[in-house]
Amino acid sequence: MYWLIGSFIILAMMGVLAVADSTPIPIMPLFMDSASTPVLTISFVLLTFILILISQFTIPSVNPINSVKNTSHHSRFASRILYFISIAILASTLVIGSGLKALVSHQQADDQKITEPMRVQALVHIEGISDSVYDAGTDTGYRQVAIISQILPLVSELTAQDLDKVTAEYGAGLNNSLSGDDIKYESSNAISSHQNTLAENAVQDKVYRVLLNAYPKKPVKQSSKTNSQKKSKKTEKQSQIAGLNHLQPGDRLFMTLTLAPLATSEQVSNNPSGFDSYRWLRSRHIDGVANILATSSSSILPFSHPQIQSHSNSHLLSSDSYLTRLRTAIDQGRWQLRQHFYKDWATNTAAEQQAKAVTLSLLTGDRSLINRETKDLYQLAGISHLLAISGTHVLFLAIVLAGIVILLINRLYPALYRYIPRWHVRWWVMISAAFIYALFTGFDVPAARTAWMLLAIGLTRLTLLPVSTMRVLLALAVLMAWHDPYVLWQAGYWLSFIAVALLLKYEDTSQNQPLTSNQPSTSYDKLLRRLWLSFKRLFKLQCWLFLALLPVTLLLFGKASLWGLIVNLFAIGLFGWIIVPLNLLAGLCYLILPSVADIIWMLVTAIVSNLHELIAWLTSMPVLSDAWLYTPVNAAILLMALLTLLPWLLPRGLISRWLVLPPLSLLVMTVYANQQSLTTTPTLYILPTGDHYISAALLQYPVVNDKDAKNTSWLFLADHRPSNTKTKTMPSNLTADKFSAMLAQQLGSLSVNKLEGIVVQSSSSGVTDSRVYDKKSSAVSPNDSELLPMIVAQLSQRLPVSQYWQAGRSERWSALHQAYKVTTDSQKTATISAQRCESGKIWQLPNGNLTLQAITGWSKLEDASVWDCTVAIDSSTPIRVLKYQANDPLKSLPANSQTLMSKSQPLSNQANMSQSWLILNADTHERTWQMWSLLCSADLTNSNIAMNHTTWLGHSTSHIPNEVITQQQIDEIITYDNKPLEVALSSDALFKEGD
């Protein structure tokens, strides 16, 4: 019953959050005011205690020999009805009340969030330590959670000097208000005029909790005159932004910001990586995003400063509670440790830097110094969970400190045990150490769960309540959801509680299995047998956890690494018994002898560095080249997986394990059917890239009458920037490494393990000119014209590619590819040759059902504006065009379209046509279609095109004229950027918006 009610409570809260996030649900203001206080949570706890007491009450049975049997029978029957009704009412109240609690929390967050973009001047209060550090050399930005107040609309751009003046006026007004100790009301008259302006013109006295952002920007090519004028200003701003790394928790300073609301659900679905940034930010109670424009060079003294605390106006300190100031002090200690590790950072090699970064993460949970490559390495190895502060860290430190305290008491004052039992002392020390260390590491879900579990288990032992550890775990999960319903959107919440529950269940089933046998043997044989049985149990535990957490991992992240089953066998022991204890020992020594701590940290970083080299060598082995498992998981698959694991979750012997065969078979068939559904229908997926002008499209076409191949896949890449701006710098968030990794993940989620061809439809000067490529510059940091060819070079190493079509000229492709291979030390990879994608080039399936034809592109001409290659896809069956959903590829929706009505035949007849003609446009200059009109328009006079349903796919900035649309008899227009094509809007043809 406990598990059933707890599951209903969590499911009700999740359902309410999901529905309220998409559909507005009205709620009474009176209930919101009452539910916003802790009274509602306390009421839930009291109702839970009443429910437990009633459920423990048993109605005594009646002896049937009694003469008043009928009366006793009726009274017992009525008592049981009342008993079940009471339990049902209390359980329903808890479930409904939990749903209302989630609704109120969502409504409060919705009322507080930023709704529209605006440029403001605001007082920024730094909260905690930053998520990352600003480093222009490694192209990493500054991200920091902060609270902003005193918000004023920004009328004109303010410099750092202007903000320093604002800071000085604000500080003067604050000092004047603090100086009047005996005059209570006259201090307000001493506040400066600027303070009055802030109070009068503040944006509705709003206070927001935002995520500050500041990223390095690549320099835009400019003339020498303009560059000389702006060089000093840019240098000053870069040094000012770099100074953000020195901001400590609790600092307050004025900034000019660009506020933006959180990403909408549609924007999140277009995220190339599938990461749900909206839910991640909402779970951290972030109201919006703020991009930093300028900052003041001086900060305002925090309320915790002694100069302010010395005044008697203690009411000014009310905004900072004692718990908040304690948390700020702890965060300042974390910041000082980061600064200690960050000292002389540039003098270390990349391997040493990342070893230090991982060491810091294992000590304080601060992952700001870990770069993307190291995170990807841990994800590929399946050990990302080791980077987080888990319950093992907290429990180990609590046990060590408790042991030290008990040892000191035994030596110095053993008489204490006459008044306090030994286990009470150990318990209090463990609880104190667990909560302090959990606060020191950010009080994330795993650390908080461990601290609260120690407290709950100690209370159950102290009160002698017959409560199992599993029920304590369930109660903590529900309590954390009641305290903050948005914790249900955190992946760490689910993985932490589910993993601990599985470990407890595994221990219950394996604790009776002996590690040694009763057979007579020598001590050496006993040692070997014990080691073998220990390894066997560890392997069984790892397989149990991997298989049991696999559905949850796929549901939360969309992919799982197969390497985790192997690497975790030695990584968990290495981290748990060597790295983490040494790291915690160094942390304790740092408080007393920092020099000794540095020596221990040198040893830890050396071990971590060697571990990184070992993992990189293992993951580069061709045995498991396809280490990622991509399988879309929904609620039905999760339910079948739960039914499959049910005989192992329930007490042994309660259900026969042979009963897992039906749900297991159904699970395998469902997963296989989902995989096949991605390849059985001709589909063109529009892949999100994260850039407005860069497009990617994947064609998946099933092959019929061919036993050797299931389907053929083509990848189309294009750069739609106008040809006169091709020399501009690409956005800083789009690089060849990042883009190729995103494409590889997207292809893997669509069950694509090889490509028939890659078509780069845009010409690239990087593979056209005759310059010599330097392996240290061009291959590692390619310029904009080399971006798409570099993606081809990287993708060809990740999966087999048969053909490569390149628009324009590509004489330098071989040199670029060879330079990349030398730089990345991948000499074993075969070099793929580039074919010119120019008008007239054709590829066709042997059965003739699919034909790819280039209809533009004339690389023989010296005019590069006519080199872009538009490709037409001729299919014997209709091709559906879908917008790829990274978080759930099975739910990819049809792309929005403009349906033209210019053809003479009805639209209903067009929709039923058996053939389709799909045009992938990539022009960046009007000369492309002018050349086509002169040379190729006569090729479309064939009447067979009238029997096709013609779809045009391109960018809204295309230069295609209305005459070409008419000549090609286009029925439907789709754009990569979801903006209407202007020429279609201005044409005389009738159109309507399609889905």
Side-chain angles (χ1 to χ4, degrees):
M1 183 185 69
Y2 300 103
W3 287 97
L4 184 63
I5 297 176
S7 302
F8 275 130
I9 289 174
I10 294 178
L11 288 176
M13 299 182 75
M14 289 181 59
V16 168
L17 287 177
V19 173
D21 196 49
S22 57
T23 305
I25 301 177
I27 186 172
M28 294 184 297
L30 180 62
F31 184 78
M32 282 193 61
D33 295 336
S34 61
S36 60
T37 61
V39 176
L40 188 61
T41 304
I42 297 175
S43 302
F44 290 157
V45 175
L46 293 178
L47 288 176
T48 303
F49 276 118
I50 295 174
L51 179 62
I52 293 175
L53 291 176
I54 293 178
S55 63
Q56 296 296 326
F57 176 74
T58 56
I59 300 176
S61 59
V62 180
N63 189 356
I65 304 179
N66 197 331
S67 59
V68 290
K69 181 175 66 174
N70 293 332
T71 305
S72 300
H73 176 75
H74 289 300
S75 61
R76 185 179 61 178
F77 181 73
S79 300
R80 287 193 175 275
I81 291 178
L82 183 61
Y83 170 78
F84 288 117
I85 290 177
S86 302
I87 290 181
I89 291 175
L90 289 174
S92 302
T93 303
L94 286 175
V95 173
I96 297 174
S98 301
L100 291 176
K101 171 69 175 178
L103 180 60
V104 169
S105 299
H106 180 274
Q107 189 64 38
Q108 290 174 345
D110 223 31
D111 295 339
Q112 181 65 21
K113 69 179 181 179
I114 297 174
T115 57
E116 59 182 8
M118 51 184 166
R119 291 162 58 92
V120 299
Q121 166 198 320
L123 177 62
V124 179
H125 184 188
I126 302 299
E127 183 179 289
I129 59 175
S130 61
D131 293 340
S132 59
V133 296
Y134 183 91
D135 190 350
T138 57
D139 197 25
T140 57
Y142 176 82
R143 294 191 308 169
Q144 170 72 60
V145 177
I147 298 176
I148 61 174
S149 59
Q150 305 290 342
I151 303 172
L152 285 175
L154 188 62
V155 180
S156 60
E157 184 178 358
L158 297 180
T159 62
Q161 292 76 13
D162 298 331
L163 292 175
D164 287 340
K165 294 180 181 178
V166 175
T167 303
E169 293 180 3
Y170 185 88
L174 184 62
N175 291 331
N176 291 334
S177 64
L178 290 173
S179 61
D181 294 335
D182 299 326
I183 304 175
K184 182 175 182 181
Y185 299 104
E186 291 183 2
S187 62
S188 60
N189 297 327
I191 301 178
S192 64
S193 59
H194 180 73
Q195 291 294 99
N196 291 328
T197 304
L198 288 178
E200 294 174 1
N201 299 333
V203 182
Q204 299 178 356
D205 296 330
K206 281 286 188 178
V207 177
Y208 295 112
R209 193 168 186 263
V210 299
L211 181 66
L212 300 177
N213 290 319
Y215 290 94
K217 293 184 179 180
K218 296 181 180 179
V220 180
K221 294 183 179 180
Q222 298 173 343
S223 62
S224 58
K225 183 178 180 180
T226 306
N227 190 25
S228 61
Q229 293 176 351
K230 296 183 178 181
K231 183 177 180 180
S232 59
K233 184 177 180 180
K234 289 182 179 180
T235 304
E236 180 183 357
K237 186 174 182 180
Q238 288 179 358
S239 61
Q240 182 185 10
I241 297 298
L244 294 172
N245 295 333
H246 300 289
L247 291 179
Q248 299 187 33
D251 283 352
R252 297 187 301 155
L253 70 163
F254 280 95
M255 293 184 182
T256 54
L257 309 168
T258 300
L259 301 182
L262 300 181
T264 61
S265 57
E266 181 180 358
Q267 293 171 336
V268 168
S269 63
N270 293 330
N271 192 333
S273 62
F275 175 67
D276 196 340
S277 60
Y278 170 75
R279 290 199 170 192
W280 183 76
L281 291 173
R282 286 296 290 266
S283 64
R284 299 181 69 182
H285 303 283
I286 303 297
D287 302 323
V289 179
N291 295 321
I292 300 175
L293 299 177
T295 67
S296 61
S297 58
S298 58
S299 60
I300 302 170
L301 294 179
F303 286 132
S304 58
H305 196 274
Q307 181 178 343
I308 296 181
Q309 287 187 344
S310 61
H311 293 279
S312 62
N313 284 349
S314 59
H315 65 277
L316 293 176
L317 304 178
S318 60
S319 59
D320 277 10
S321 63
Y322 291 104
L323 182 60
T324 302
R325 278 179 278 168
L326 173 63
R327 181 66 181 270
T328 301
I330 292 176
D331 287 333
Q332 288 177 350
R334 298 177 67 194
W335 181 84
Q336 291 174 0
L337 263 179
R338 180 205 286 177
Q339 295 301 110
H340 181 77
F341 276 80
Y342 199 61
K343 184 173 57 177
D344 300 329
W345 186 259
T347 60
N348 298 322
T349 63
E352 292 173 347
Q353 289 178 355
Q354 292 310 300
K356 282 188 173 182
V358 171
T359 304
L360 177 63
S361 174
L362 295 174
L363 181 63
T364 65
D366 181 6
R367 288 181 280 183
S368 60
L369 302 180
I370 303 178
N371 60 18
R372 184 72 262 172
E373 289 75 15
T374 304
K375 292 179 181 178
D376 292 340
L377 180 65
Y378 274 72
Q379 288 179 1
L380 181 60
I383 56 174
S384 295
H385 58 94
L386 297 178
L387 290 177
I389 298 296
S390 63
T392 306
H393 299 68
V394 180
L395 188 61
F396 183 85
L397 181 64
I399 292 175
V400 170
L401 290 180
I404 294 175
V405 171
I406 291 298
L407 181 62
L408 293 176
I409 293 177
N410 291 340
R411 292 291 183 91
L412 301 178
Y413 189 59
L416 178 65
Y417 299 138
R418 298 178 181 176
Y419 311 99
I420 304 176
R422 185 192 301 266
W423 78 268
H424 282 193
V425 177
R426 184 184 292 110
W427 177 55
W428 281 110
V429 173
M430 290 180 66
I431 289 176
S432 303
F435 275 97
I436 293 175
Y437 186 59
L439 284 173
F440 188 72
T441 57
F443 215 71
D444 291 333
V445 173
R449 171 192 46 79
T450 304
W452 287 113
M453 277 199 70
L454 285 175
L455 178 62
I457 291 175
L459 289 176
T460 55
R461 182 180 177 184
L462 186 64
T463 56
L464 301 177
L465 291 176
V467 181
S468 64
T469 308
M470 292 289 285
R471 290 185 178 180
V472 172
L473 186 67
L474 174 64
L476 284 177
V478 174
L479 283 174
M480 293 185 71
W482 281 342
H483 175 69
D484 182 12
Y486 278 110
V487 77
L488 298 173
W489 280 2
Q490 296 184 17
Y493 173 85
W494 296 100
L495 292 177
S496 175
F497 279 100
I498 293 176
V500 172
L502 292 173
L503 282 173
L504 292 175
K505 191 62 184 178
Y506 181 83
E507 289 297 327
D508 291 340
T509 57
S510 61
Q511 61 182 355
N512 295 326
Q513 299 178 6
L515 286 176
T516 59
S517 62
N518 296 324
Q519 298 178 358
S521 58
T522 63
S523 58
Y524 180 74
D525 293 337
K526 290 181 179 180
L527 178 62
L528 289 180
R529 187 179 296 109
R530 189 176 184 87
L531 291 175
W532 165 249
L533 292 177
S534 299
F535 176 78
K536 184 178 178 181
R537 175 176 291 185
L538 176 63
F539 183 76
K540 289 176 63 177
L541 173 61
Q542 179 58 35
C543 293
W544 161 254
L545 288 176
F546 180 82
L547 295 177
L549 290 175
L550 184 60
V552 182
T553 305
L554 291 173
L555 179 65
L556 294 174
F557 304 106
K559 62 179 182 179
S561 175
L562 300 178
W563 276 110
L565 189 60
I566 301 174
V567 178
N568 275 290
L569 290 176
F570 64 88
I572 291 179
L574 181 63
F575 275 83
W577 294 103
I578 298 178
I579 296 177
V580 171
L582 287 176
N583 205 11
L584 293 176
L585 177 62
L588 293 176
C589 292
Y590 180 75
L591 301 175
I592 306 173
L593 298 172
S595 58
V596 177
D598 290 335
I599 296 175
I600 300 176
W601 275 326
M602 287 178 60
L603 176 61
V604 174
T605 53
I607 297 174
V608 173
S609 180
N610 292 324
L611 176 64
H612 289 174
E613 294 180 1
L614 176 61
I615 295 176
W617 175 75
L618 284 175
T619 54
S620 62
M621 296 175 61
V623 179
L624 282 177
S625 57
D626 297 330
W628 290 111
L629 175 63
Y630 298 96
T631 300
V633 175
N634 50 27
I637 294 179
L638 200 62
L639 179 60
M640 286 182 284
L642 179 61
L643 293 177
T644 304
L645 295 174
L646 194 60
W648 283 269
L649 297 177
L650 295 176
R652 188 179 183 90
L654 183 62
I655 297 180
S656 175
R657 295 185 176 179
W658 288 102
L659 294 178
V660 305
L661 291 179
L664 181 61
S665 303
L666 187 60
L667 177 63
V668 172
M669 290 188 294
T670 304
V671 172
Y672 179 77
N674 288 339
Q675 294 291 332
Q676 292 300 311
S677 65
L678 298 172
T679 60
T680 54
T681 304
T683 306
L684 182 78
Y685 290 96
I686 300 176
L687 305 178
T689 62
D691 186 84
H692 182 69
Y693 288 104
I694 303 297
S695 67
L698 175 69
L699 173 65
Q700 281 192 300
Y701 198 89
V703 177
V704 185
N705 299 327
D706 191 347
K707 297 181 180 179
D708 297 331
K710 294 182 179 180
N711 66 311
T712 183
S713 302
W714 282 79
L715 180 64
F716 303 90
L717 304 174
D719 184 356
H720 299 278
R721 290 175 299 173
S723 57
N724 56 353
T725 62
K726 283 292 183 70
T727 58
K728 290 185 177 180
T729 304
M730 294 294 298
S732 61
N733 62 343
L734 187 60
T735 61
D737 293 336
K738 182 179 179 180
F739 193 13
S740 61
M742 288 190 305
L743 286 176
Q745 179 175 343
Q746 292 168 356
L747 296 178
S749 65
L750 293 172
S751 303
V752 176
N753 51 16
K754 65 177 181 179
L755 288 171
E756 178 62 31
I758 301 178
V759 181
V760 178
Q761 299 180 256
S762 304
S763 60
S764 174
S765 60
V767 293
T768 303
D769 57 19
S770 58
R771 62 188 175 89
V772 178
Y773 285 95
D774 178 29
K775 66 179 182 179
K776 294 184 179 180
S777 59
S778 300
V780 177
S781 301
N783 57 37
D784 306 333
S785 61
E786 300 165 357
L787 176 66
L788 297 184
M790 282 301 303
I791 292 173
V792 177
Q794 296 187 19
L795 281 179
S796 62
Q797 291 194 359
R798 296 176 181 266
L799 69 166
V801 181
S802 301
Q803 302 182 55
Y804 166 37
W805 293 10
Q806 172 64 56
R809 301 174 183 178
S810 54
E811 292 85 355
R812 301 303 303 165
W813 160 252
S814 299
L816 176 64
H817 196 192
Q818 185 65 27
Y820 172 74
K821 290 170 58 179
V822 172
T823 305
T824 57
D825 194 18
S826 56
Q827 297 294 333
K828 296 182 180 180
T829 305
T831 302
I832 181 174
S833 60
Q835 307 175 34
R836 289 191 179 183
C837 182
E838 54 187 0
S839 178
K841 185 173 182 58
I842 295 178
W843 176 88
Q844 190 177 47
L845 279 177
N847 55 18
N849 291 337
L850 178 66
T851 303
L852 271 63
Q853 178 181 356
I855 61 177
T856 66
W858 296 272
S859 58
K860 294 181 180 179
L861 301 178
E862 295 299 329
D863 188 1
S865 63
V866 296
W867 290 359
D868 294 332
C869 180
T870 296
V871 178
I873 303 174
D874 187 6
S875 171
S876 61
T877 56
I879 299 177
R880 58 178 183 173
V881 181
L882 303 180
K883 296 283 289 186
Y884 172 82
Q885 302 286 337
N887 52 359
D888 193 351
L890 291 177
K891 295 183 179 180
S892 299
L893 302 175
N896 296 328
S897 63
Q898 296 171 255
T899 305
L900 302 181
M901 303 291 294
S902 58
K903 278 194 173 184
S904 58
Q905 53 189 9
L907 180 64
S908 59
N909 293 336
Q910 296 178 23
N912 295 326
M913 291 176 181
S914 59
Q915 294 184 346
S916 65
W917 180 265
L918 182 59
I919 300 173
L920 303 184
N921 184 48
D923 72 279
T924 57
H925 200 280
E926 58 186 7
R927 294 195 191 100
T928 302
W929 289 111
Q930 292 175 359
M931 185 66 67
W932 180 86
S933 300
L934 292 174
L935 301 178
C936 305
S937 59
D939 297 339
L940 294 181
T941 57
N942 188 353
S943 60
N944 288 336
I945 193 174
M947 300 301 297
N948 296 336
H949 180 74
T950 305
T951 302
W952 182 92
L953 175 61
H955 200 270
S956 61
T957 59
S958 173
H959 298 274
I960 185 172
N962 187 26
E963 294 78 10
V964 175
I965 294 179
T966 304
Q967 290 175 355
Q968 294 184 353
Q969 303 185 27
I970 294 175
D971 305 285
E972 191 178 25
I973 292 178
I974 301 174
T975 57
Y976 289 108
D977 53 346
N978 286 328
K979 295 181 180 179
L981 187 65
E982 293 183 3
V983 66
L985 293 174
S986 60
S987 65
D988 296 333
L990 298 176
F991 72 93
K992 68 176 182 179
E993 294 294 330
D995 294 330

